[in-house]
Amino acid sequence: MTMTRRATLGALAASPLLASPAVHAQAPTEIVFNYPIAVGGPIPRLIDGYCEEFARENPRFRIKPIYAGSYQDTLTKTLTAMRGGDAPQLACLLAVDIFTLIEEDAILAWEDMAGVEKPWLDGFYPGFMENSRARGKTWGIPFQRSTIVTYWNKEAFREAGLDPETPPQNWAQQVEFAQKLTKRQGDNVTQWGIQIPSSGFPYWLFQGLTTQADVRLMNADGNRTFFNDPKVAEALQYWMDLSQRHRVHPGGIVEWGTTPRDFFERKTAMMWTTTGNLTNVRRNAPFPFGVGMLPAGRRLGSPTGGGNLYVFKSANAAQREGAVRFARFLTTPERAAHWGIETGYVAVTPAAFETPAMRAYVADFPAAAVARDQLPHAVAELSTHENQRVTKALNDNLQAGLLGRKQAGPAMADAQAEAERILRRYR
Amino acid sequence: MSGRIGSIVEHAAAWLLGLVWVAPLLYAVWAAIHPQGYSTRFELFAPLTLENFAAAWDAAPFARYFLNTFILVTMVLVAQFVLCTLAAFVFARSEFRGSGLLFGLVLLQLMIMPDVLLVENYRSMRALGLVDTILAIGLPYMASAFGIFLLRQTFKQIPRELEEAARVEGCGTMAILLRVYVPLAKPTYLAYGLTSVSYHWNNFLWPLVITNTVETRPLTVGLSVFASTDQGIDWAIISAATLMTSAPLLLGFLMFQRQFVQSFMRAGIR
């Protein structure tokens, strides 16, 4: 029996005429795609839908989407699988993981793959590409990206005698507005003027302040930080003063997760948070609200945030081709617009904002365009080699400042000393 | 007189501790059965709703996840009971060259955090061709050092006279184990079973890493959909989902509370 089967196979292989249809009937190339969920809504259904649509248009490839938890979980799962010899071919991970992934020798530069052309790579907002390029190459394709904006309660503005249509334009005005908006009953505050969350990843919101103070936190190679620049301390001092001097911002650490809820419940009249919250706020705020750019210090500014698409070295030639096609498929203007509207993430290309669907959406909900208009002023999110350790050094010292345990200057000097120690060997 | 005051103080302290313990649970119930706006506002006559449960149930295929978790904890528990019983019996009742060293090696496992072994475990599962199966989630936990240790201590306390009596009656080694040791260690089994079930019911990282599809993933992975960090926390729906997924454990505990508490006292796990 075995002999006959072998003989048949031999005959098949020997005859190109017979063998070629067999090649065509091959199963489609499978591409494993790990993705995280960081906003509410039916994300798995959306992703599954995209994958099915892609399979219909490209029958040679099949994307296998795998939900992998939060961004942190997705990185853990992906790297564990990789070290176990079982890496996915495509993953959506934080844009700031770029140096970690390059160091692990895990990912491919997009330019090194067939089917990647310069016009496509240049079609994204430059603000998003800052975190996606290193060493002269592009490692990540912007996919679910966000930035920080101000949300304000128009009712509270009216009550405080402020123009409900205008958010604060600069730092001084932000303090002034917040003073008018803070409601006190004896020693108790029933409504704070402003909340800037400081739990979990305070460095990200802090970067809004430092960018406005016109200073960069790190170099493009990710091996040097500038935490001890006087302007950085100035930014921290401003943040500390909001609560410690002006008393318009809750003292201590402000929770990221509950800040939107504080806003809905009128415990704060203004908040800084991600554009990823747009859909959430739109659905749950019981009062008219506004969305605006962050106020200017010396300049306007905000960091970008969110996730990029990475291709892993485990992918063979066919899988690489499929991964490139899928990334291009996800970032076509129509699909980028659809993804942005459904999730609240910022559509990643200017072309997406020109699609009829996005135009109609923006006409109905102008807040959706604020993030886009702020993008020209946006900078890369803090990202260095040994990213987790360096950001932890900064986070710990920021929180020490906000808790009143350290002065702004010494806190930032300590953060810089720690970052120096970690980064020295990468130069 | 002073005795009465003492007992009043004792009771008050017990009630206070009980309240502190049950407060998060009461809050979860409150948040789950009221509309979102009442999550942090306590009004006695706030409108009740079951919508949070419906929304939570819809957000992920929880029916399948329940089944997977149930299969997982049952499988792990049965395997642990069999393996730990046999190993513990050997360590408790037979002396052989190197038995002390061997037992030391088993105990060493207690000091290693399972998370450290993530990559190695993944490699083993891949080599066995088990990635993305329920068996792969449970396999690394089946030979539990904690279970072996606990049962060995229990078996050691059982008087040898009972074993000898059984032998006189004509019992073989296996029969002695099953008829004398196992029945006498019932409280330990119950206590250990509870810790094991609740651990595997709650385990998150390893199941997430080793599984890829709805068909194999347990409840915790489904629950993580609600921890959407970019957007802040929706207490109402998280509470509903948490209550829903922990309900079987909670009900089981409340029903067999007395037995559990007694077993814990006797088994010395606290």
Side-chain angles (χ1 to χ4, degrees), chain A residues 235-249:
Chain A
L236 176 56
Q237 191 63 52
Y238 178 80
W239 196 0
M240 287 159 65
D241 282 350
L242 285 178
S243 62
Q244 293 166 15
R245 202 169 118 222
H246 306 300
R247 310 205 167 275
V248 295
H249 181 284

Side-chain angles (χ1 to χ4, degrees), chain A residues 235-397:
Chain A
L236 176 56
Q237 191 63 52
Y238 178 80
W239 196 0
M240 287 159 65
D241 282 350
L242 285 178
S243 62
Q244 293 166 15
R245 202 169 118 222
H246 306 300
R247 310 205 167 275
V248 295
H249 181 284
I253 304 301
V254 174
E255 270 298 323
W256 166 270
T258 52
T259 293
R261 195 132 291 273
D262 292 343
F263 182 68
F264 304 152
E265 288 169 3
R266 299 182 170 83
K267 285 181 190 151
T268 181
M270 295 188 280
M271 66 167 173
W272 285 23
T273 189
T274 166
T275 48
N277 251 315
L278 266 182
T279 315
N280 180 27
V281 176
R282 191 184 191 193
R283 205 174 296 141
N284 293 315
F287 44 75
F289 68 94
V291 177
M293 290 192 212
L294 297 183
R298 286 190 189 83
R299 53 163 283 195
L300 286 165
S302 164
T304 60
N308 277 346
L309 298 173
Y310 297 97
V311 177
F312 283 74
K313 287 197 166 166
S314 56
N316 61 30
Q319 287 170 325
R320 288 175 194 189
E321 190 196 337
V324 169
R325 274 174 186 249
F326 188 58
R328 298 194 69 152
F329 170 89
L330 284 179
T331 53
T332 53
E334 290 71 28
R335 221 150 278 115
H338 181 256
W339 178 245
I341 292 167
E342 291 294 320
T343 57
Y345 286 116
V346 189
V348 286
T349 61
F353 277 94
E354 296 304 321
T355 57
M358 194 50 134
R359 279 173 179 238
Y361 181 65
V362 169
D364 178 46
F365 185 47
V370 170
R372 171 196 66 184
D373 298 336
Q374 189 174 256
L375 273 180
H377 312 288
V379 300
E381 182 175 1
L382 176 63
S383 169
T384 62
H385 289 271
E386 304 228 23
N387 198 39
Q388 312 243 355
R389 289 175 68 201
V390 173
T391 46
K392 184 175 186 313
L394 180 58
N395 285 343
D396 290 351
N397 282 293

Side-chain angles (χ1 to χ4, degrees), chain B:
Chain B
M1 189 61 200
S2 71
R4 256 192 78 186
I5 292 174
S7 99
I8 289 171
V9 169
E10 220 168 77
H11 272 88
W15 273 98
L16 187 73
L17 275 178
L19 265 179
V20 170
W21 178 84
V22 84
L25 202 64
L26 292 180
Y27 171 75
V29 172
W30 170 273
I33 60 171
H34 291 97
Q36 283 176 14
Y38 293 92
S39 288
T40 49
R41 241 177 345 157
F42 297 99
E43 280 169 32
L44 197 55
F45 297 107
L48 299 174
T49 176
L50 287 176
E51 264 172 40
N52 295 320
F53 288 97
W57 184 263
D58 265 355
F62 276 108
R64 179 74 213 203
Y65 289 152
F66 261 112
L67 178 69
N68 294 343
T69 295
F70 184 74
I71 295 173
L72 171 71
V73 295
T74 318
M75 182 182 75
V76 171
L77 194 66
V78 170
Q80 280 178 337
F81 276 176
V82 173
L83 290 174
C84 296
T85 304
L86 295 175
F89 185 54
V90 172
F91 282 126
R93 282 298 181 241
S94 75
E95 292 284 322
F96 53 92
R97 267 170 66 102
S99 66
L101 184 73
L102 215 55
F103 187 59
L105 279 176
V106 170
L107 285 191
L108 208 61
Q109 197 202 322
L110 280 177
M111 290 170 208
I112 301 170
M113 289 289 295
D115 292 351
V116 177
L117 299 173
L118 219 52
V119 173
E120 280 312 315
N121 281 342
Y122 194 100
R123 276 199 191 127
S124 317
M125 292 309 138
R126 186 157 178 268
L128 293 169
L130 288 178
V131 172
D132 199 21
T133 58
I134 297 180
L135 180 60
I137 309 177
L139 201 55
Y141 295 93
M142 285 179 180
S144 156
F146 182 56
I148 296 173
F149 172 69
L150 207 64
L151 284 172
R152 173 185 178 265
Q153 300 313 101
T154 314
F155 289 166
K156 276 204 156 218
Q157 285 164 10
I158 293 169
R160 275 205 189 256
E161 289 76 14
L162 289 177
E163 186 187 334
E164 279 152 16
R167 210 174 283 283
V168 170
E169 298 288 327
C171 277
T173 311
M174 209 56 200
I176 290 173
L177 175 62
L178 291 178
R179 300 225 177 117
V180 178
Y181 283 91
V182 173
L184 284 170
K186 220 170 101 192
T188 309
Y189 280 106
L190 204 61
Y192 176 68
L194 186 70
T195 45
S196 166
V197 167
S198 81
Y199 181 84
H200 289 282
W201 199 281
N202 292 322
N203 200 3
F204 172 68
L205 191 61
W206 170 244
L208 176 80
V209 166
I210 198 67
T211 60
N212 296 327
T213 48
V214 171
E215 285 70 38
T216 53
R217 292 187 147 177
L219 282 170
T220 41
V221 176
L223 206 54
S224 74
V225 176
F226 300 108
S228 45
T229 45
D230 271 9
Q231 202 165 66
I233 297 158
D234 185 342
W235 292 113
I237 203 162
I238 281 203
S239 299
T242 313
L243 284 180
M244 193 170 80
T245 52
S246 57
L249 275 192
L250 217 57
L251 285 178
F253 181 74
L254 290 178
M255 272 194 287
F256 300 106
Q257 195 187 15
R258 199 168 290 271
Q259 285 93 318
F260 281 131
V261 172
Q262 281 172 0
S263 314
F264 274 100
M265 301 291 273
R266 261 183 259 165
I269 313 178
R270 273 167 250 262

Side-chain angles (χ1 to χ4, degrees), chain A residues 178-192:
Chain A
Q179 275 166 336
K180 289 189 182 152
L181 289 163
T182 305
K183 282 193 203 161
R184 286 173 218 280
Q185 281 178 344
D187 284 343
N188 266 342
V189 174
T190 53
Q191 175 179 291
W192 291 103

Side-chain angles (χ1 to χ4, degrees), chain A residues 66-303:
Chain A
I66 295 176
Y67 161 60
S70 66
Y71 276 118
Q72 197 55 47
D73 298 331
T74 308
L75 183 66
T76 309
K77 179 171 165 72
T78 303
L79 289 183
T80 306
M82 188 186 89
R83 292 192 192 121
D86 204 12
Q89 285 79 45
L90 188 66
C92 176
L93 298 166
L94 281 178
V96 295
D97 288 329
I98 180 169
F99 291 109
T100 310
L101 292 168
I102 293 175
E103 248 164 76
E104 290 277 344
D105 198 23
I107 51 171
L108 287 161
W110 286 84
E111 283 92 347
D112 297 345
M113 287 180 280
V116 176
E117 294 138 22
K118 205 167 173 303
W120 177 52
L121 293 178
D122 289 342
F124 298 97
Y125 281 108
F128 290 143
M129 292 312 274
E130 275 192 33
N131 265 130
S132 313
R133 291 193 165 128
R135 301 176 188 177
K137 287 199 169 163
T138 310
W139 304 88
I141 291 295
F143 176 53
Q144 45 186 43
R145 300 300 298 267
S146 55
T147 180
I148 308 170
V149 287
T150 302
Y151 295 75
W152 78 92
N153 177 342
K154 291 189 179 173
E155 259 173 28
F157 268 52
R158 205 170 288 128
E159 274 172 37
L162 295 164
D163 174 10
E165 299 308 321
T166 329
Q169 302 300 312
N170 53 50
W171 280 13
Q173 220 173 37
Q174 181 164 262
V175 173
E176 186 196 319
F177 281 24
Q179 275 166 336
K180 289 189 182 152
L181 289 163
T182 305
K183 282 193 203 161
R184 286 173 218 280
Q185 281 178 344
D187 284 343
N188 266 342
V189 174
T190 53
Q191 175 179 291
W192 291 103
I194 184 168
Q195 264 183 226
I196 302 177
S198 48
S199 71
F201 36 91
Y203 78 88
W204 194 51
L205 294 124
F206 182 58
Q207 249 193 303
L209 292 164
T210 54
T211 311
Q212 291 150 19
D214 201 16
V215 56
R216 291 246 168 176
L217 288 185
M218 78 290 181
N219 64 354
D221 289 333
N223 59 9
R224 202 177 283 278
T225 57
F226 310 112
F227 302 156
N228 56 351
D229 190 297
K231 287 179 187 164
V232 175
E234 182 192 328
L236 176 56
Q237 191 63 52
Y238 178 80
W239 196 0
M240 287 159 65
D241 282 350
L242 285 178
S243 62
Q244 293 166 15
R245 202 169 118 222
H246 306 300
R247 310 205 167 275
V248 295
H249 181 284
I253 304 301
V254 174
E255 270 298 323
W256 166 270
T258 52
T259 293
R261 195 132 291 273
D262 292 343
F263 182 68
F264 304 152
E265 288 169 3
R266 299 182 170 83
K267 285 181 190 151
T268 181
M270 295 188 280
M271 66 167 173
W272 285 23
T273 189
T274 166
T275 48
N277 251 315
L278 266 182
T279 315
N280 180 27
V281 176
R282 191 184 191 193
R283 205 174 296 141
N284 293 315
F287 44 75
F289 68 94
V291 177
M293 290 192 212
L294 297 183
R298 286 190 189 83
R299 53 163 283 195
L300 286 165
S302 164

